[in-house]
Amino acid sequence: FFSIYQGLQLKKSSSTMASIMAHAVPFLRLRMATIASRTCQPNLTYSRGLSTLNLASFLPVTSLLSPAAIRSPSLPLLQNNTPIHHQQHHQQQQTRTKMTKTKKRRRAKIFERQRRVSLGLPAKPLPPKYIPKDTPVVNALSRQQRDAESATFDVTAAQEMKTKIQKSEETESLRFQFEGLDMSDRVKMLLDLRNGNQKEVVASQKKRGMELFQLREGDTGSSAVQVVALTTRIQQLQTHLAKHKKDNSGKRGLDALFVRRRKVLDYMERKDFESYRKVVKSLGLVR
């Protein structure tokens, strides 16, 4: 409004502007008077460019209009001499009412805890193999009894191993897996393992060692059989490195085999301690 009023003051000479001023100026004066009555500062001035407008020079709103205009329904706020207020559009703050996944999980946990407490159970479930701290530790056997049991176990295991070794020695080991076939003595001498190379000798030793710990015929994947196969390969690499001391890649492979055998033995110690003891005692491993 102030810019319009300023533009009309600069163009008073033209006839068209004069007619516009006749209609526009009363509304401008009415607006400025409303601002002055709202601010309640009589000496307040507004500056815009080179012109300054003193709001104190404006008369009250009711003195500018006739009584009939004040009573008109188009100006309801001026009937009681009330100031005109701007409509302020405030954005309402959004409230999140959506139930997120995190909130659902939290509510489910709370309800589950309340249910467990109502049933007389602890609020949180205990681990599957939980043992209370106040549970007394009772050793069913004394140290002497356990040592005696281990000694008897070692004796029985040694006897079983001797019988298996005797059975394996009874069967002749021939080249090219020709065992169990009927043949003449001359053919057997040709197929004897003493006429084979080192690779065939190592393969037969590995096969006979695996047969001692087989759980069934043709077993090549049980833990004890894997330990025997790895031990055979370790011994073969040790003899090779004793001759070729600068074979660094062979040393690296030997270390990897040691780690692999240790992992299998750790698994056997956890899961099947009896077979673990048999393997360690028969192979002479230091654990």
Side-chain angles (χ1 to χ4, degrees), residues 187-219:
V187 176
K188 282 186 180 180
M189 288 177 64
L190 291 173
L191 297 176
D192 195 292
L193 195 60
R194 289 174 292 182
N195 297 325
N197 55 13
Q198 186 180 2
K199 183 178 179 181
E200 292 176 350
V201 173
V202 172
S204 66
Q205 289 177 356
K206 179 180 177 181
K207 181 182 177 183
R208 294 177 71 176
M210 291 170 64
E211 288 176 353
L212 297 176
F213 296 95
Q214 282 182 350
L215 300 177
R216 59 190 178 278
E217 188 177 357
D219 180 17

Side-chain angles (χ1 to χ4, degrees), residues 203-265:
S204 66
Q205 289 177 356
K206 179 180 177 181
K207 181 182 177 183
R208 294 177 71 176
M210 291 170 64
E211 288 176 353
L212 297 176
F213 296 95
Q214 282 182 350
L215 300 177
R216 59 190 178 278
E217 188 177 357
D219 180 17
T220 58
S222 60
S223 301
V225 174
Q226 288 185 40
V227 171
V228 173
L230 291 171
T231 305
T232 306
R233 180 61 180 162
I234 286 170
Q235 291 174 355
Q236 184 183 2
L237 280 176
Q238 284 175 345
T239 55
H240 169 76
L241 292 173
K243 184 177 180 181
H244 306 279
K245 296 182 180 179
K246 294 186 178 180
D247 189 1
N248 295 321
S249 60
K251 290 179 183 178
R252 185 171 177 271
L254 182 62
D255 294 338
L257 289 175
F258 277 125
V259 173
R260 189 173 171 187
R261 186 177 68 176
R262 186 176 68 245
K263 288 182 178 180
V264 178
L265 288 172

Side-chain angles (χ1 to χ4, degrees), residues 118-136:
S118 64
L119 295 175
L121 300 173
K124 293 183 179 180
L126 299 174
K129 295 183 179 180
Y130 175 75
I131 299 174
K133 292 182 179 180
D134 56 352
T135 303

Side-chain angles (χ1 to χ4, degrees), residues 35-227:
I35 295 171
S37 63
R38 189 187 308 142
T39 55
C40 298
Q41 297 180 8
N43 297 323
L44 184 65
T45 57
Y46 281 85
S47 299
R48 181 71 181 269
L50 300 175
S51 59
T52 304
L53 187 65
N54 189 3
L55 298 178
S57 62
F58 289 98
L59 298 175
V61 180
T62 54
S63 63
L64 298 174
L65 300 175
S66 61
I70 293 173
R71 290 192 297 271
S72 66
S74 61
L75 298 174
L77 297 175
L78 297 179
Q79 295 178 7
N80 300 323
N81 200 10
T82 57
I84 301 173
H85 297 283
H86 288 286
Q87 286 185 352
Q88 296 181 356
H89 300 282
H90 296 286
Q91 273 191 346
Q92 293 183 355
Q93 188 176 3
Q94 294 181 355
T95 57
R96 292 186 64 181
T97 58
K98 183 181 177 182
M99 184 63 69
T100 59
K101 294 181 179 178
T102 306
K103 289 183 179 179
K104 289 179 180 179
R105 283 196 297 267
R106 289 175 183 171
R107 287 172 63 88
K109 285 182 180 179
I110 292 170
F111 292 151
E112 179 64 21
R113 288 176 184 174
Q114 291 176 357
R115 186 188 68 81
R116 291 180 65 87
V117 170
S118 64
L119 295 175
L121 300 173
K124 293 183 179 180
L126 299 174
K129 295 183 179 180
Y130 175 75
I131 299 174
K133 292 182 179 180
D134 56 352
T135 303
V137 179
V138 179
N139 291 326
L141 300 175
S142 62
R143 183 62 179 269
Q144 293 79 11
Q145 291 176 346
R146 282 181 288 167
D147 292 342
E149 283 187 359
S150 62
T152 54
F153 177 81
D154 293 341
V155 170
T156 54
Q159 290 177 356
E160 289 178 4
M161 193 59 61
K162 284 181 180 179
T163 54
K164 288 182 179 180
I165 291 171
Q166 289 175 0
K167 286 182 180 179
S168 64
E169 288 179 351
E170 290 176 359
T171 59
E172 296 179 351
S173 56
L174 301 176
R175 298 172 65 188
F176 311 116
Q177 299 179 358
F178 279 4
E179 296 88 353
L181 298 177
D182 295 331
M183 59 186 70
S184 63
D185 296 336
R186 290 186 178 182
V187 176
K188 282 186 180 180
M189 288 177 64
L190 291 173
L191 297 176
D192 195 292
L193 195 60
R194 289 174 292 182
N195 297 325
N197 55 13
Q198 186 180 2
K199 183 178 179 181
E200 292 176 350
V201 173
V202 172
S204 66
Q205 289 177 356
K206 179 180 177 181
K207 181 182 177 183
R208 294 177 71 176
M210 291 170 64
E211 288 176 353
L212 297 176
F213 296 95
Q214 282 182 350
L215 300 177
R216 59 190 178 278
E217 188 177 357
D219 180 17
T220 58
S222 60
S223 301
V225 174
Q226 288 185 40
V227 171

